[in-house]
């Protein structure tokens, strides 16, 4: 133990991949910690990723903890639905997961009296910022070995080979993949070129569109939260898993975006997110039925700000609390059902019902004369005034122009 650490322990966000694996010896050799504990947080990654983390931890003799944060994460994803959250077409799976993961690791670090907390992110991406925004609220030292030591993949591979670190296999193929309950992202290698057409085999959650038989799904919402599918109540995790599978079979929820990262880099990203697409589509359709036009248009600004903060990993910001005040207020009426049609890669709302529907069959119908004391002819005055200011402005402009040519 070096003298300037209060304890000799550091907690490391650990996946068992190359970056976090090389961090284990580096935290000892370069940062002087005697003991490293690895923490993997379950936000719905595939089983194989936990197997890889366990196996790698065992081979490294690393004390390793797995924390289940699936429900906390799924609940946050459903909060995101209430805010129709997306960033440039991406429903924010990785972004939403990071604060949940960071918080869970911080709790483990505190329980084990760690003096520091570390991640294996590079200095180019968003995740370093999202993790540290949470960790820097604590007094623990924050360490980012890959960024601070300027490591490259090539260097890491050589270092791992020299030290005989267990880095074979697992998720080290051509693409860099991040998977959780809400989205699966695929980036890197050829895919970085915006002109490269992604091959079908980058997709794992979504089948090629057009092979499944069209189906209807009925979603029930309560206060803006989805609570049941086809009449069957489900908790947040089960509901998202169910829809990922069901809509994934139709090839729903693929996006290919030029993403503007926080540091200013523009990076091409491919995503799969069938459940998110279905829930966001249905939720917006229900808002369309129950909210007034002015609430809907103002809420777009709220939703956009919410999404921006979520992308930045700053869902704890006071602004988000304030935005959620507006979201909560509007969502008290977002209760009802929406039926969506899953068909050939598309999800469309085809029916909606709510006791809060701002809809009067009588008022909208062409067959009723007087409704609420208003009759058709009452629109005449409105029609006379409609566009009046523009007509006036145009005639003034014409008049000035004519006066000019007559001089
Ligand atoms: N660009 C996305 C984000 O910042 C996802 C990045 C996921 N990482 C990956 N290796 N595919 O939220």
């Amino acid at each position: 133990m070096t003298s300037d650490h209060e304890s000799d322990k550091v907690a490391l966000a650990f996946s068992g991949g190359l970056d976090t694996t090389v961090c284990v010896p580096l935290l000892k050799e370069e940062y002087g910690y005697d003991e490293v504990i690895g923490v993997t947080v379950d936000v719905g990654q595939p089983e194989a990723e936990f197997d890889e983390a366990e196996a790698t931890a065992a081979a490294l003799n690393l004390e390793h903890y797995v924390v289940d944060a699936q429900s906390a994460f799924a609940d946050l994803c459903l909060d995101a639905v209430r805010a129709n959250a997306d960033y440039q077409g991406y429903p924010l799976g990785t972004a939403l997961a990071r604060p949940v993961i960071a918080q869970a690791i911080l709790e483990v670090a505190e329980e084990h009296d760690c003096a520091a907390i570390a991640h294996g992110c590079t200095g180019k991406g968003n995740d370093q910022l999202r993790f540290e925004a949470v960790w820097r609220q604590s007094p623990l030292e924050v360490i980012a070995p890959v960024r601070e030591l300027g490591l490259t993949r090539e260097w890491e591979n050589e270092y791992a080979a020299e030290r005989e670190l267990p880095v074979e296999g697992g998720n080290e193929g051509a693409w860099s993949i991040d998977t959780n309950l809400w989205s699966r992202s695929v980036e890197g290698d050829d895919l970085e070129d915006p002109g490269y057409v992604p091959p079908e085999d980058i997709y794992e959650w979504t089948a090629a569109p057009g092979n499944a038989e069209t189906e209807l799904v009925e979603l029930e919402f309560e206060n803006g939260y989805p609570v049941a599918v086809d009449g069957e109540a489900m908790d947040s995790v089960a509901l998202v898993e169910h829809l990922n599978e069901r809509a994934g079979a139709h090839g729903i929820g693929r996006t290919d975006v030029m993403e503007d990262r926080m540091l200013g880099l523009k990076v091409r990203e491919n995503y799969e997110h069938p459940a998110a697409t279905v829930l966001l589509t249905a939720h917006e359709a229900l808002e369309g039925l129950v909210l007034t036009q002015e609430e809907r248009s103002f809420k777009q600004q709220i939703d956009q700000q919410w999404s921006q903060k979520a992308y930045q990993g700053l869902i704890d910001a006071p602004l988000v609390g304030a935005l959620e005040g507006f979201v909560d207020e509007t969502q008290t009426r977002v209760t009802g059902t929406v039926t969506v049609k899953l068909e050939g890669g598309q999800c469309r709302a085809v029916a909606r019902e709510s006791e809060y529907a701002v809809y009067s069959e009588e008022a909208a119908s062409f067959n009723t004369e007087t409704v609420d004391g208003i009759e058709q002819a009452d629109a005449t005055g409105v029609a006379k005034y409609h566009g009046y200011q523009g007509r006036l402005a145009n005639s003034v402009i014409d008049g000035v122009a004519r006066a000019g040519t007559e001089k």
Side-chain angles (χ1 to χ4, degrees):
M1 174 176 165
T2 53
S3 52
D4 55 343
H5 299 148
E6 275 166 38
S7 96
D8 54 358
K9 272 196 205 171
V10 51
L12 168 69
F14 186 75
S15 69
L18 178 63
D19 292 315
T20 59
T21 298
V22 302
C23 283
V24 176
L26 288 173
L27 286 166
K28 297 181 183 168
E29 292 161 17
E30 298 293 323
Y31 293 88
Y33 282 90
D34 284 344
E35 220 184 303
V36 182
I37 60 176
V39 188
T40 306
V41 181
D42 184 351
V43 284
Q45 305 90 314
E47 267 316 305
E49 291 190 22
F50 297 104
D51 296 344
E52 188 197 357
E54 296 275 3
T56 311
L60 287 166
N61 236 333
L62 174 72
E63 186 177 333
H64 181 229
Y65 298 90
V66 178
V67 183
D68 182 358
Q70 281 203 70
S71 336
F73 177 54
D75 289 350
L76 180 59
C77 294
L78 300 191
D79 286 335
V81 169
R82 299 191 345 146
N84 300 313
D86 90 88
Y87 177 80
Q88 300 182 334
Y90 152 51
L92 298 159
T94 299
L96 291 167
R98 292 309 181 244
V100 174
I101 294 171
Q103 186 58 39
I105 297 172
L106 181 58
E107 281 162 23
V108 174
E110 282 167 347
E111 269 162 41
H112 289 80
D113 293 318
C114 290
I117 190 160
H119 61 69
C121 305
T122 70
K124 289 198 173 180
N126 294 322
D127 287 341
Q128 51 174 341
L129 307 177
R130 297 169 179 151
F131 277 130
E132 293 181 32
V134 174
W135 292 349
R136 289 184 190 278
Q137 295 171 26
S138 84
L140 299 193
E141 183 193 358
V142 174
I143 308 178
V146 176
R147 180 182 74 204
E148 289 160 7
L149 304 172
L151 310 186
T152 60
R153 286 240 131 193
E154 206 184 335
W155 186 93
E156 290 177 2
N157 272 314
E158 270 169 34
Y159 178 82
E162 250 167 52
R163 304 289 168 117
E164 296 180 354
L165 300 178
V167 292
E168 313 79 51
N171 183 10
E172 299 295 334
W175 323 120
S176 164
I177 295 169
D178 184 62
T179 311
N180 61 46
L181 210 50
W182 202 231
S183 66
R184 177 173 177 272
S185 93
V186 192
E187 65 182 24
D189 208 52
D190 296 342
L191 283 175
E192 274 171 9
D193 173 359
Y196 174 77
V197 178
E200 196 55 31
D201 70 5
I202 69 162
Y203 302 110
E204 251 173 43
W205 284 12
T206 52
N211 293 324
E213 208 160 302
T214 299
E215 62 175 320
L216 297 176
V217 182
E218 188 194 75
L219 297 147
E220 189 179 330
F221 287 85
E222 256 174 48
N223 299 318
Y225 288 113
V227 293
V229 180
D230 289 333
E232 195 188 325
M234 291 184 194
D235 67 33
S236 53
V237 175
L239 188 129
V240 174
E241 283 176 342
H242 174 85
L243 292 174
N244 270 335
E245 200 139 306
R246 205 148 154 205
H250 295 264
I252 289 163
R254 292 180 174 183
T255 46
D256 180 340
V257 296
M258 288 312 303
E259 185 172 311
D260 291 300
R261 282 194 185 164
M262 280 186 261
L263 294 178
L265 292 174
K266 211 180 248 307
V267 177
R268 195 263 189 103
E269 293 271 11
N270 276 275
Y271 295 103
E272 296 180 282
H273 40 79
T277 296
V278 170
L279 291 170
L280 291 165
T281 303
H283 177 263
E284 250 193 292
L286 189 55
E287 283 193 336
L289 181 68
V290 302
L291 299 184
T292 60
Q293 184 274 330
E294 54 200 2
E295 286 174 304
R296 287 170 78 185
S297 78
F298 190 72
K299 189 164 182 292
Q300 283 181 358
Q301 298 174 52
I302 300 282
D303 293 348
Q304 206 232 334
Q305 291 290 322
W306 197 100
S307 304
Q308 183 80 34
K309 296 318 279 181
Y311 186 72
Q312 295 169 340
L314 300 177
I315 47 165
D316 272 347
L319 173 65
V320 176
L323 298 171
E324 276 177 354
F326 182 87
V327 172
D328 282 342
E329 179 69 30
T330 54
Q331 300 304 293
T332 56
R333 285 173 284 141
V334 185
T335 293
T337 60
V338 175
T339 302
V340 294
K341 188 179 262 187
L342 311 182
E343 180 176 46
Q346 304 291 330
C347 167
R348 278 183 305 127
V350 290
R352 36 336 233 146
E353 270 172 55
S354 170
E355 57 178 323
Y356 295 103
V358 185
Y359 167 71
S360 153
E361 195 178 340
E362 217 193 353
S365 159
F366 296 111
N367 292 321
T368 26
E369 256 302 309
T370 309
V371 179
D372 292 333
I374 306 171
E375 54 191 47
Q376 232 193 106
D378 289 331
T380 307
V382 178
K384 285 182 180 168
Y385 265 115
H386 187 61
Y388 178 65
Q389 192 174 70
R391 289 200 293 279
L392 188 59
N394 285 334
S395 74
V396 168
I397 294 165
D398 287 351
V400 173
R402 229 176 296 117
T405 53
E406 279 164 15
K407 260 189 217 157

